[in-house]
């Protein structure tokens, strides 16, 4: 996984956290839920990339 993908996922996660906090501050359930969902999506993407990286490392180990 490239640095760009990691950075993009982190930015999405931080944006979701900000949106969730803004929803808490304004008592806006919709915004709070949207922020939580955005954070969850970013974490899921990051986990998928980590699995992909681990698979590549295993493949490289067998190629040696």
């Amino acid at each position: 996984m490239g640095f760009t993908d990691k950075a993009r996922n982190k930015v999405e996660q931080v944006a979701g956290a900000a949106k969730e906090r803004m929803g808490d501050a304004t008592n806006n359930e919709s915004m709070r839920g949207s922020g939580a969902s955005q954070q969850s999506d970013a974490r899921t993407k990051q986990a998928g990339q980590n699995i992909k990286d681990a698979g590549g490392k295993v493949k490289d180990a067998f190629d040696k």
Side-chain angles (χ1 to χ4, degrees):
M1 173 165 81
F3 174 77
T4 306
D5 293 331
K6 288 181 182 179
R8 195 174 298 141
N9 289 336
K10 185 52 86 173
V11 167
E12 186 175 341
Q13 190 174 353
V14 170
K19 192 184 289 186
E20 186 175 13
R21 283 191 210 112
M22 183 61 80
D24 283 338
T26 60
N27 202 22
N28 184 334
E29 287 292 325
S30 177
M31 185 180 286
R32 186 181 306 154
S34 176
S37 176
Q38 188 174 0
Q39 285 182 76
S40 178
D41 289 347
R43 287 186 188 121
T44 301
K45 288 177 189 176
Q46 187 67 34
Q49 290 295 334
N50 290 342
I51 290 169
K52 198 161 83 171
D53 286 348
K57 289 178 184 177
V58 169
K59 180 183 173 287
D60 290 345
F62 282 106
D63 287 343
K64 290 182 181 180

